[in-house]
Amino acid sequence: MVDADQTFVIVGGGLAGAKAAETLRAEGFTGRVILICDERDHPYERPPLSKGYLLGKEERDSVFVHEPSWYARNDVELHLGQTVDAIDREARTVRFGDDGTLVHYDKLLLATGAEPRRLDVPGTDLAGVHHLRRLAHAERLKGVLTSLGRDNGHLVIAGAGWIGLEVAAAAREYGAEVTVIEPEPTPLHAVLGPELGSLFAELHSEHGVRFRFGVRLTEIVGQDGVVLAARTDDGEEHPAHDVLAAIGAAPRTALAEAAGLELAGRAHGGGVVVDERLRTSDPDIYAAGDIASYHLPLFGTRLRVEHWANALNGGPAAARAMLGREVTYDRVPYFFSDQYDVGMEYSGWAPPGSYDEVVLRGDVGKRHFIAFWLKEGRVLAGMNVNVWDVTERIQNLIRARAAVDQEGLADPGVPLESLIP
């Protein structure tokens, strides 16, 4: 069968899906490309939603992956505001949820992303309770932060992960009062551990954010539909005009599960199991982005990575695999964050319990340093804080999978590339 006779369907109009469509055309595929997006906005990138766009430093149009006319020019059939509610693997069709239309596919890519986890406490139905995942959420939250800053209002954030902290920083820049409630002992505890999590606690405290560690949100108190306060399990009540639930995201795997595709267990973060070519348990169906659970030999485990770089790289990798190209998806996990005057990049994977030492290189007090997480002398992860153009070298140290000179690693005068075995 020649390309022109084939139909490739992409379910999910985020960065992974949009970049997959772009790659199919760039690689010379001449068949039908159908991109189905359940939002009415054109495919967009998510990092600005908690960074530049939320802060009012980037225009709305800057978040889109392509300009709207790109899809027609490249003969990509874009279906906005449409859902897929079923996959028939035997017939190789997907069914639209609104009218039951069946669309045939030769290859199918699932890039359905993730959705915010919901607070399971009384009061979550109040109008002042927010989530941040979609462009519409960011638009609403931007207005909320503007009002809170103008009126000296209080924002309570449940969760001190990346989204929670970035919104906290934005809220303080607008002038709002901010309280962050986090059951772990430090922010970002599951990612950075206590050693570096405390650095972000100090950063935000210096900017007036109040933290309540070791407690959980148990109730959002309101009257006449309006948020008044947030209660925690230690009996305290915190003033609040609005509440942001930032307690993580869950992969949107219902479609894959209903189709009988293999899913990863909770220990690996859930998601759809894929091989090194991003193929699912069905050889004609691929998965990329937030829902893909792939094996990473560097760390000897299966991972599901929710960050921007995984969507940026995973979508094109899946597209090339769909075209029969040789693909091995083994990217080192990478993400970045901007909070106040601190910018950071993180490469690798080193959750608490996986490392035995943290080596610091540079001036931590001035927040100009690199942190390395090591296991038996091997670099598992590195985070550069206000130090730039070192990501490739950090990732090379991780890929080397060999013990490094720790004194040299801690010495800014020793070039990182000279430490790679």
Side-chain angles (χ1 to χ4, degrees):
M1 183 182 291
V2 297
D3 278 1
D5 297 325
Q6 292 187 311
T7 298
F8 285 6
V9 174
I10 303 167
V11 180
L15 178 61
K19 296 302 285 188
E22 177 185 320
T23 301
L24 289 174
R25 290 304 187 219
E27 293 282 330
F29 180 66
T30 59
R32 289 181 73 189
V33 176
I34 300 173
L35 178 58
I36 304 166
C37 177
D38 67 355
E39 296 185 60
R40 296 195 177 277
D41 290 303
H42 284 74
Y44 57 85
E45 301 192 42
R46 299 192 190 277
L49 306 190
S50 60
K51 299 180 176 71
Y53 178 65
L54 185 64
L55 282 163
K57 297 178 180 179
E58 297 176 16
E59 296 298 323
R60 188 180 190 275
D61 287 351
S62 69
V63 308
F64 295 108
V65 182
H66 305 107
E67 60 178 313
S69 63
W70 180 91
Y71 299 92
R73 290 202 315 271
N74 288 274
D75 199 19
V76 173
E77 300 173 38
L78 180 62
H79 295 264
L80 297 177
Q82 295 273 10
T83 60
V84 170
D85 67 358
I87 300 168
D88 186 330
R89 291 167 53 189
E90 185 174 350
R92 288 196 296 182
T93 61
V94 298
R95 185 179 70 199
F96 283 124
D98 60 339
D99 61 7
T101 298
L102 297 178
V103 176
H104 168 78
Y105 67 83
D106 292 287
K107 299 292 183 184
L108 172 64
L109 173 61
L110 299 179
T112 49
E115 60 189 1
R117 297 186 188 278
R118 305 287 170 168
L119 288 167
D120 186 19
V121 301
T124 54
D125 58 341
L126 294 168
V129 178
H130 310 274
H131 299 86
L132 181 55
R133 182 71 189 177
R134 300 193 168 205
L135 182 54
H137 295 155
E139 290 172 337
R140 181 185 179 201
L141 192 57
K142 191 175 178 183
V144 167
L145 297 186
T146 300
S147 296
L148 291 176
R150 182 183 62 239
D151 301 332
N152 197 32
H154 287 74
L155 175 68
V156 167
I157 299 175
W162 295 112
I163 294 296
L165 294 187
E166 289 178 0
V167 173
R172 288 301 297 145
E173 292 202 31
Y174 278 100
E177 298 295 320
V178 179
T179 300
V180 178
I181 297 169
E182 169 57 54
E184 297 290 351
T186 65
L188 306 164
H189 191 269
V191 181
L192 304 182
E195 300 89 349
L196 274 298
S198 60
L199 172 107
F200 284 90
E202 294 168 4
L203 170 66
H204 283 268
S205 295
E206 289 173 8
H207 284 83
V209 174
R210 304 177 187 89
F211 284 101
R212 297 295 182 267
F213 293 117
V215 298
R216 295 180 183 275
L217 186 66
T218 57
E219 183 180 2
I220 302 170
V221 181
Q223 185 175 353
D224 298 328
V226 177
V227 171
L228 299 177
R231 288 178 181 155
T232 47
D233 58 6
D234 59 354
E236 287 195 31
E237 189 167 286
H238 309 278
H241 296 99
D242 290 270
V243 173
L244 174 71
I247 57 174
R252 300 177 67 192
T253 56
L255 186 62
E257 183 176 6
L261 299 177
E262 182 182 357
L263 302 183
R266 182 177 295 181
H268 296 294
V272 179
V273 171
V274 296
D275 64 12
E276 72 281 356
R277 293 171 55 78
L278 296 177
R279 291 178 302 192
T280 70
S281 52
D282 184 317
D284 292 322
I285 303 178
Y286 297 72
D290 292 353
I291 67 165
S293 174
Y294 63 98
H295 181 71
L296 195 54
L298 276 174
F299 304 103
T301 190
R302 182 169 289 280
L303 293 176
R304 187 179 66 81
V305 180
E306 294 178 356
H307 297 292
W308 167 85
N310 186 46
L312 179 71
N313 297 309
R320 293 187 183 99
M322 293 164 73
L323 292 170
R325 313 285 194 264
E326 286 300 316
V327 171
T328 299
Y329 192 73
D330 61 352
R331 290 268 181 172
V332 174
Y334 165 91
F335 59 87
F336 69 98
S337 183
D338 299 308
Q339 299 167 40
Y340 309 110
D341 58 352
V342 171
M344 58 77 65
E345 298 173 294
Y346 179 102
S347 296
W349 185 72
S354 67
Y355 60 91
D356 52 33
E357 189 171 1
V358 177
V359 173
L360 301 175
R361 174 190 182 98
D363 194 326
V364 177
K366 292 182 178 179
R367 299 191 180 110
H368 189 273
F369 68 96
I370 307 175
F372 297 94
W373 287 260
L374 279 68
K375 175 72 172 182
E376 297 174 351
R378 295 181 292 111
V379 177
L380 300 180
M383 179 177 71
N384 45 300
V385 176
N386 288 339
V387 177
W388 307 112
D389 301 321
V390 293
T391 295
E392 183 177 356
R393 281 168 280 175
I394 291 172
Q395 293 195 0
N396 286 340
L397 283 169
I398 295 168
R399 287 191 177 280
R401 303 178 68 181
V404 299
D405 174 10
Q406 294 186 31
E407 289 188 8
L409 196 64
D411 186 350
V414 176
L416 288 176
E417 56 268 26
S418 71
L419 300 171
I420 300 171

